[in-house]
Amino acid sequence: MAEKKSGMTIRTKLLSTVVFLVIISVSVGSLAYYGFWKARRAVQEVTEQTIPDLALADEVNTLVAAARRYEKEFFLFSSLGTRSEAIRKKQEEYYGKMKASFNDVGKGLDRLKGSSMFAAVSEQSAQEETPRTQQLKELSANMAVVETAYRNTIQSMDPMAVELLGGKGFLEVSKLYEVYRGNVRSLEEGVGNI
């Protein structure tokens, strides 16, 4: 018969090692699950706050693109040499669509300014300077540029359109067009940067 030389048999040693490894595996798995749960929760919160604002910014960008489309149609009919009644009606139709689209851009900018992004700007400005605060300040400054470009675009669009609808050729209003083009490009660039 064999005598016990130590307090534990091989079976006991193996069993205790397996139990120890199971406890470590469950502990590490639980910590990992908790970490993933916490990260998923943080991403979900950020997503719920950010996605609607980004969708709104994209909508404003799309509205600017639609206005530019109608603008091109308006300019196309304004550049035609003949001034028939059908061309004039098309010109007026596209000017109306262009103006309505730019009005929609203004409404979109108002909604964007009232979004949670800009609410965060005022909340963060009272706190300490962080990279997020800096981003929010840049966003706010860019929004001011966009609003100015929008107002300038509307103000420069109307006198040019009056001249074109009055029968002047596109080349005759080229100076007015240059002012308008600079303003609308600033608007496009600013909206693209939001």
Side-chain angles (χ1 to χ4, degrees):
M1 215 184 254
E3 287 184 36
K4 271 180 151 178
K5 293 187 179 178
S6 72
M8 294 186 3
T9 64
I10 291 177
R11 174 186 285 168
T12 308
K13 288 179 183 177
L14 284 174
L15 186 59
S16 63
T17 304
V18 168
V19 168
F20 178 70
L21 289 174
V22 167
I23 290 171
I24 288 178
S25 297
V26 168
S27 299
V28 169
S30 297
L31 286 173
Y33 179 77
Y34 176 72
F36 286 134
W37 176 80
K38 203 169 178 182
R40 183 187 64 81
R41 183 80 178 218
V43 167
Q44 184 179 9
E45 287 176 10
V46 168
T47 302
E48 287 173 356
Q49 292 173 357
T50 306
I51 296 296
D53 294 338
L54 292 176
L56 190 54
D58 188 54
E59 179 185 337
V60 171
N61 199 7
T62 303
L63 290 170
V64 170
R68 292 297 305 257
R69 174 184 169 250
Y70 294 126
E71 164 203 306
K72 288 178 184 9
E73 294 291 337
F74 173 65
F75 290 152
L76 173 71
F77 283 100
S78 297
S79 66
L80 296 175
T82 60
R83 296 286 179 213
S84 70
E85 188 60 32
I87 290 175
R88 181 157 170 73
K89 283 185 181 185
K90 283 288 190 183
Q91 206 180 6
E92 289 172 354
E93 174 188 346
Y94 282 114
Y95 176 65
K97 288 180 179 181
M98 180 176 84
K99 193 156 179 85
S101 292
F102 273 117
N103 287 338
D104 290 343
V105 168
K107 291 173 187 172
L109 289 175
D110 289 341
R111 285 194 318 268
L112 188 60
K113 192 158 186 181
S115 70
S116 62
M117 270 192 301
F118 291 98
V121 170
S122 60
E123 289 174 15
Q124 290 283 332
S125 63
Q127 297 176 2
E128 63 186 54
E129 188 72 22
T130 64
R132 176 74 175 147
T133 306
Q134 185 62 29
Q135 287 176 334
L136 292 172
K137 285 181 180 178
E138 289 173 10
L139 180 65
S140 182
N142 190 41
M143 188 62 179
V145 169
V146 168
E147 287 179 318
T148 301
Y150 173 74
R151 281 192 306 275
N152 291 342
T153 298
I154 296 299
Q155 289 172 356
S156 61
M157 176 178 61
D158 290 334
M160 179 187 58
V162 167
E163 296 289 329
L164 288 170
L165 290 170
K168 287 193 176 179
F170 192 71
L171 293 175
E172 295 172 305
V173 296
S174 62
K175 288 184 181 180
L176 292 172
Y177 173 71
E178 289 302 318
V179 172
Y180 168 78
R181 185 175 72 176
N183 291 329
V184 79
R185 283 186 179 171
S186 293
L187 176 63
E188 275 184 317
E189 184 180 313
V191 169
N193 289 335
I194 293 178

